[in-house]
């Protein structure tokens, strides 16, 4: 089994933290993202979505998308559970992980990818080229501020995003907060619940092992 990885990027980091939480070690294949190795015919043949991370099983099956990869490991190594244990917990993890990805990580990505010079024709991850749209960067910035205030509110009455237990939802939201530092839009001082949660998650050995 091999995990195709570029550890500096936010999305692969989500899987690397998840695996560290579970104590799972996997052989890694470094993919040179800045030089476009993920767009090469060889990589594309394995993963037509042309993104990273991607898990290749020993039988040749290739799994992309972090939810797919994490689901594989959750089913094959259930402890500690990172996607919830009961039907209700599992649903809450799905819900908050999706919100964290959509409203947090993708909001930052909209700012970053629609402004950074290196992404001139690569404003959207994937096999197709899209030009940058400055309005999307502006909107991404607004959406990020709402992500901060909405998640701050959730954490006013919950220890973690899905409830009283730590999960992939927290990993995705935490990585989104760190990714926002790339665009210099850190957690606002007024979001005290979110800040306290951030500091608590930052202490976890699995997070520290994947800076
Ligand atoms: N929806 C994907 C997101 C993966 C993703 O966006 N990965 C980025 C790295 S952070 C990537 O592959 N970028 C390739 C590119 O910029 O062309 C998932 O859940 O796995």
């Amino acid at each position: 089994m091999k995990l195709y990885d570029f550890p500096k990027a936010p999305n692969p980091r989500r899987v690397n933290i998840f695996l560290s939480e579970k104590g799972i070690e996997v052989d890694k294949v470094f993919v040179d993202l800045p030089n476009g190795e993920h767009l090469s015919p060889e990589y594309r043949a394995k993963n037509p979505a042309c993104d990273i991370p991607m898990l290749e099983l020993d039988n040749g099956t290739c799994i992309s998308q972090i939810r797919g990869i994490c689901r594989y490991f959750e089913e094959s190594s259930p402890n500690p559970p990172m996607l919830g244990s009961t039907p209700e917990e599992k649903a809450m993890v799905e819900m908050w992980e999706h919100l964290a990805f959509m409203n947090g990580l993708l909001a930052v990505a909209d700012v970053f990818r629609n402004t950074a010079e290196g992404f001139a024709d690569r404003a959207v991850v994937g096999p197709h080229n899209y030009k940058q749209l400055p309005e999307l960067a502006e909107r991404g910035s607004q959406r990020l501020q709402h992500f901060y205030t909405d998640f701050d509110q959730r954490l006013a009455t919950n220890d973690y995003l899905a409830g009283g237990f730590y999960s992939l939802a927290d990993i995705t939201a935490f990585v989104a907060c760190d990714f926002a530092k790339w665009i210099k839009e850190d957690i606002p001082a007024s979001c005290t619940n979110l800040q306290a949660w951030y500091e608590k998650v930052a202490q976890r050995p699995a997070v520290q092992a994947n800076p």
Side-chain angles (χ1 to χ4, degrees):
M1 182 189 303
K2 286 179 279 193
L3 183 69
Y4 290 73
D5 190 24
F6 181 73
K8 274 194 199 156
N11 283 294
R13 187 178 176 217
R14 288 162 64 201
V15 168
N16 285 324
I17 295 174
F18 181 93
L19 291 176
S20 293
E21 291 286 355
K22 282 188 171 284
I24 297 173
E25 286 193 14
V26 186
D27 286 344
K28 305 262 176 83
V29 178
F30 178 83
V31 181
D32 189 349
L33 210 63
N35 283 314
E37 201 183 338
H38 58 300
L39 300 171
S40 67
E42 295 77 20
Y43 189 80
R44 202 178 280 244
K46 291 180 190 288
N47 177 12
C50 297
D51 59 3
I52 291 162
M54 189 262 290
L55 180 68
E56 184 174 19
L57 304 182
D58 291 339
N59 67 5
T61 297
C62 290
I63 306 170
S64 80
Q65 308 314 300
I66 287 155
R67 281 188 211 141
I69 296 171
C70 292
R71 172 59 61 196
Y72 177 83
F73 286 115
E74 183 85 350
E75 299 297 327
S76 51
S77 308
N79 289 310
M82 291 297 294
L83 298 178
S85 301
T86 64
E88 182 177 327
E89 284 182 6
K90 289 177 186 181
M92 292 303 276
V93 174
E94 292 254 357
M95 170 183 164
W96 283 98
E97 205 279 328
H98 185 61
L99 287 170
F101 180 68
M102 249 187 358
N103 296 343
L105 215 141
L106 287 185
V108 182
D110 266 354
V111 179
F112 183 63
R113 297 190 73 106
N114 285 289
T115 52
E117 261 177 41
F119 291 102
D121 283 311
R122 294 285 310 152
V124 179
V125 174
H128 311 293
N129 290 337
Y130 294 95
K131 68 179 170 76
Q132 293 175 320
L133 298 173
E135 291 85 355
L136 283 180
E138 212 176 291
R139 190 186 70 179
S141 197
Q142 290 167 11
R143 290 180 61 219
L144 176 63
Q145 294 312 311
H146 290 135
F147 161 76
Y148 283 145
T149 49
D150 294 348
F151 275 52
D152 184 62
Q153 208 176 347
R154 170 72 182 165
L155 291 164
T157 50
N158 292 279
D159 288 344
Y160 295 101
L161 288 170
F165 61 99
Y166 179 72
S167 73
L168 179 64
D170 298 289
I171 295 175
T172 298
F174 180 86
V175 168
C177 292
D178 269 357
F179 188 23
K181 293 177 182 164
W182 294 21
I183 57 163
K184 303 194 175 15
E185 292 197 33
D186 222 331
I187 299 174
S190 57
C191 292
T192 52
N193 306 305
L194 183 64
Q195 187 61 45
W197 162 91
Y198 176 91
E199 280 159 22
K200 183 170 63 179
V201 174
Q203 302 292 319
R204 297 184 73 88
V207 171
Q208 295 191 351
N210 296 283

